[in-house]
Amino acid sequence: MIFYVFLLDYRFIMARIAYVNGRFLQHSYATVHIDDRGYQFADGVYEVIVMYNGMMIDELIHLDRLDRSLKELQIRKPVSRAALRSIIREIVRLNKIKYGLIYLQVTRGIAKREHQFPNKSQPSIILTAKSITMPSRKTIEDGIKVITIKDIRWKRRDIKSLSLLANIIGKQKAIEKGAFEAWQVDDNGKITEGTSSNAWIVTQNGVLITRTADHDILNGVTRVSILKLADRLGVQYKEQSFSVQEAKAAREAFISSATTFVTPVTQIDDVLIGNGKAGALSLSLRNGYIEYANNEGATC
Ligand code: PDD
């Protein structure tokens, strides 16, 4: 059962609407309890789904990953998939999103603060949505800078956990160095992934490489779609780890995520990649991904 609670105040009539545990609320009034385990322990998971041209990209694959993350942490599903899909559509409609993000978070719920799982708790679910502007062609052609940092995260990065301290510290370091993203490096000198994106290179021989999706990285939904696209385009690719040196010697590099699609990387630390402009394969994968997002990747 879905309740609508609009605290009607005409100053907020155009305000953003959020969903919290069964109710649609004005974003500024949308709150959860201080004993929610998401707040106390980051005991929960999330997903980010993108709306592109009025359609969701890879909605069902995101929902599959959400189910997987919940299962790995033994958190019950708060609502059925059918109910969740209708809540998503309602949040999109209420916020009038054509290009934007849907943020979906589930926690183990409210309980007395004790580390072990509570005997009984109702999982909490929240959804928010916001519009975004797509980057200009020039931004994409110029590419972004990434820095490399030590990967200090826990060992289950395949779970899309709310616990993002290492990621936010990494992103902050990147911003302070004038970069867009930080590529995290494991103890063997190999790149795992970005703080909120997957990492890719194209070798001088034209082979596309991204790390194998095991416990060391989040298996990006965008990553999976790009691999399918590479298959279709006949691009030779390998899922294997690559070192910082290999990345710096690459012909091309890029990041992928729901929000950045395929975004070329033209500088890693102080080293320019290729000729310092977006690479040809990166651009064609970006275009291919956008076409996919407009067609078979889309649900409305
Ligand atoms: N981040 N790796 C990490 C650590 C991520 O946080 C993300 C996504 C990805 C790419 O996953 P996907 O292609 O499914 O978006 C890889 C989201 C966008 C975020 O945290 O906002």
Side-chain angles (χ1 to χ4, degrees):
M1 178 88 144
I2 296 170
F3 299 98
Y4 290 80
V5 179
F6 292 111
L7 302 166
L8 263 186
D9 174 336
Y10 289 100
R11 280 173 306 160
F12 294 119
I13 211 84
M14 292 306 290
R16 288 173 67 198
I17 305 295
Y19 174 87
V20 185
N21 293 325
R23 306 194 304 169
F24 289 93
L25 300 161
Q26 284 185 20
H27 197 277
S28 43
Y29 294 112
T31 53
V32 292
H33 195 275
I34 55 167
D35 279 341
D36 191 282
R37 288 179 63 96
Y39 182 61
Q40 301 272 356
F41 294 114
D43 185 4
V45 301
Y46 75 104
E47 278 298 327
V48 176
I49 306 176
V50 161
M51 285 291 293
Y52 185 77
N53 198 16
M55 314 268 226
M56 264 172 275
I57 310 179
D58 283 336
E59 179 200 7
L60 297 178
I61 312 178
H62 280 283
L63 296 185
D64 286 345
R65 187 174 62 188
L66 176 71
D67 287 351
R68 179 182 182 277
S69 296
L70 288 171
K71 190 158 170 261
E72 291 296 318
L73 297 181
Q74 297 170 54
I75 297 175
R76 275 188 298 119
K77 282 199 216 182
V79 291
S80 69
R81 176 166 294 201
L84 183 53
R85 292 188 75 194
S86 59
I87 297 164
I88 292 173
R89 277 150 186 78
E90 197 54 7
I91 205 87
V92 165
R93 190 186 69 77
L94 291 168
N95 289 284
K96 301 184 174 64
I97 307 291
K98 188 169 181 206
Y99 292 91
L101 306 183
I102 301 150
Y103 177 80
L104 200 168
Q105 177 179 303
V106 179
T107 72
R108 203 179 304 276
I110 299 164
K112 188 165 71 178
R113 189 184 180 282
E114 286 175 346
H115 286 64
Q116 72 272 25
F117 298 171
N119 285 334
K120 253 205 216 149
S121 70
Q122 179 64 31
S124 300
I125 173 163
I126 64 134
L127 275 89
T128 58
K130 68 171 183 189
S131 293
I132 52 168
T133 24
M134 290 290 146
S136 69
R137 197 187 162 88
K138 179 167 176 356
T139 307
I140 296 300
E141 281 171 0
D142 287 348
I144 56 161
K145 173 181 170 183
V146 302
I147 58 164
T148 54
I149 58 168
K150 194 172 160 54
D151 197 332
I152 57 166
R153 297 174 299 160
W154 76 324
K155 294 188 175 151
R156 288 303 307 274
R157 301 146 189 172
D158 55 310
I159 300 171
K160 202 159 171 60
S161 148
L162 292 181
S163 175
L164 291 173
L165 262 186
N167 306 55
I168 63 172
I169 290 168
K171 185 76 90 182
Q172 179 61 23
K173 278 192 186 147
I175 301 302
E176 283 168 11
K177 295 216 158 142
F180 180 83
E181 179 59 298
W183 277 2
Q184 302 168 101
V185 181
D186 69 15
D187 291 343
N188 301 316
K190 309 275 186 169
I191 289 162
T192 52
E193 60 182 335
T195 62
S196 61
S197 58
N198 289 116
W200 302 71
I201 57 168
V202 180
T203 65
Q204 292 297 340
N205 300 330
V207 182
L208 179 64
I209 303 185
T210 195
R211 193 170 172 125
T212 316
D214 52 19
H215 287 180
D216 290 341
I217 63 162
L218 183 76
N219 189 8
V221 169
T222 323
R223 173 189 178 282
V224 172
S225 296
I226 294 167
L227 288 175
K228 280 192 246 156
L229 192 64
D231 246 340
R232 202 184 313 156
L233 297 175
V235 174
Q236 194 193 342
Y237 69 82
K238 284 188 190 154
E239 290 179 79
Q240 65 179 38
S241 34
F242 54 89
S243 65
V244 174
Q245 287 74 13
E246 285 168 307
K248 289 182 179 172
R251 185 202 279 179
E252 297 182 30
F254 63 87
I255 61 167
S256 71
S257 73
T259 49
T260 57
F261 299 180
V262 171
T263 295
V265 169
T266 45
Q267 189 177 339
I268 303 174
D269 295 327
D270 293 327
V271 177
L272 287 185
I273 304 304
N275 61 2
K277 287 277 173 195
L281 181 57
S282 310
L283 291 177
S284 83
L285 287 172
R286 183 179 173 87
N287 292 337
Y289 182 76
I290 289 173
E291 204 181 307
Y292 165 82
N294 272 316
N295 292 287
E296 69 265 40
T299 49
C300 56

